[in-house]
Amino acid sequence: MSEIDVTVLIASVISAAAPILLATLGETITEKAGIINLSLDGTILLSAMSAFVVALKADSLLLGFIAAAVVGGLVASFVAFFGIYLKQNQVAVGFVLTLMTRDLAYFIGSPYSRMQGPQTVPVPVPVLSDMPFFGEVFFRHTLPVYFSMVMIGVAWWYMYRTRLGLRLRSVGENPGAAYARGINPNRVQMAYAACGGLLVGLAGAAFSLCIKPGWGQPQGAEGSGWIALALVIFGGWNPLKAAVGAYLFALLPVMSIYFQGWIPSVPAQVFQVAPFPLMIFILVIVFFAQRESFVL
């Protein structure tokens, strides 16, 4: 593979990883606060539909992203509210919501299927985008892609280098001890569940307005929520490790495009489906590696 191919490959991976990365970071924040939100897969679809429809009707990408963030925040807040105040099983509530939001997205979005609508365009960073290799890899993307990259460092810094991040982790690890120190665990968990949901909603908007513009059934984002949940767990609830997993997952479908050209005799559907079992296989390897290191 030539040097220019490597450059394009890495740039493509960074771009394709934006939605799954945002969803992974959002769920990392939510679970770090002690809330498990299994509604990600449906939330991403409902947010993607909402973003596209609002952006289409209002002719505003900004309003589309805002609508998607609100949808994501509301769904996550429902999960947290039922779990915290109504004492319902968070896993069960999240699973029901992911099915409901998925079906709702397909039902409401049906009239807008396959319609042309607004989409984000690359915004090269002045001066930096002209740098050899690094300019094309990091500084010639759309705004959502830039935002996803920045959020990796912001999330890690906030969690591990700020007082508020310490409060977040303390509530997630031991709510009783946090309460004894004057912190209201319920309020903190509700707040961070909503914040994490906002990022999940933006992940949906990134799908329909950036990575795979438009809305349809299937949308192409199906299954990404479950992958994000897996990346959170196998990343050890650490934003940096989870981000590495997100980029690794994005590498698989990008590479499948190359494999289709290298091995034309294999049906294209095989390469389209392959990233998911491959990702599961890699996650299993990571799991056992972590387990062995823990035992040692």
Side-chain angles (χ1 to χ4, degrees):
M1 187 181 296
S2 62
E3 182 178 353
I4 184 63
D5 289 333
V6 173
T7 302
V8 173
L9 174 64
I10 298 175
S12 299
V13 169
I14 291 175
S15 178
I20 196 75
L21 177 57
L22 289 172
T24 301
L25 293 176
E27 182 62 13
T28 298
I29 294 172
T30 299
E31 293 196 15
K32 205 68 174 177
I35 301 296
I36 300 175
N37 180 11
L38 288 188
S39 70
L40 264 64
D41 205 58
T43 300
I44 289 174
L45 288 172
L46 185 59
S47 299
M49 184 277 299
S50 301
F52 177 74
V53 172
V54 171
L56 178 66
K57 292 294 185 180
D59 194 25
S60 171
L61 287 169
L62 177 60
L63 290 180
F65 278 98
I66 291 175
V70 171
V71 169
L74 286 175
V75 175
S77 296
F78 273 121
V79 175
F81 178 80
F82 275 92
I84 296 172
Y85 294 104
L86 301 185
K87 307 301 180 183
Q88 300 299 310
N89 187 293
Q90 297 174 19
V91 173
V93 172
F95 187 73
V96 170
L97 280 176
T98 198
L99 296 177
M100 185 182 73
T101 50
R102 181 199 63 187
D103 293 341
L104 190 62
Y106 288 143
F107 176 74
I108 298 177
S110 180
Y112 304 95
S113 181
R114 309 304 176 188
M115 292 181 62
Q116 294 292 327
Q119 64 184 77
T120 57
V121 296
V123 182
V125 178
V127 181
L128 295 179
S129 61
D130 296 327
M131 296 173 58
F133 182 75
F134 294 103
E136 185 172 351
V137 169
F138 296 109
F139 303 112
R140 297 183 186 178
H141 296 287
T142 61
L143 292 180
V145 176
Y146 293 136
F147 179 72
S148 68
M149 290 190 288
V150 170
M151 279 304 301
I152 300 173
V154 170
W156 180 86
W157 170 80
Y158 184 88
M159 284 186 184
Y160 297 103
R161 290 294 184 269
T162 68
R163 186 175 181 179
L164 290 175
L166 177 61
R167 178 177 296 189
L168 161 65
R169 289 183 285 122
S170 66
V171 168
E173 294 170 5
N174 195 328
Y179 180 79
R181 296 179 65 88
I183 301 173
N184 187 329
N186 293 349
R187 188 179 301 170
V188 171
Q189 288 181 327
M190 283 294 299
Y192 284 110
C195 289
L198 292 177
L199 289 177
V200 175
L202 290 176
F207 267 116
S208 61
L209 298 178
C210 180
I211 305 302
K212 299 177 180 178
W215 172 254
Q217 184 177 354
Q219 169 63 18
E222 291 82 358
S224 58
W226 301 113
I227 292 296
L229 285 164
L231 291 175
V232 172
I233 297 171
F234 290 99
W237 294 270
N238 183 302
L240 298 181
K241 294 179 181 179
V244 172
Y247 285 122
L248 177 61
F249 176 75
L251 173 65
L252 298 178
V254 172
M255 285 301 300
S256 69
I257 299 175
Y258 287 88
F259 281 119
Q260 289 182 36
W262 295 338
I263 316 175
S265 59
V266 178
Q269 291 80 359
V270 173
F271 295 111
Q272 294 171 359
V273 176
F276 290 92
L278 282 175
M279 191 64 195
I280 294 173
F281 176 71
I282 292 172
L283 291 176
V284 169
I285 293 176
V286 172
F287 170 76
F288 282 106
Q290 291 178 342
R291 184 178 179 182
E292 289 298 326
S293 63
F294 177 76
V295 172
L296 294 176

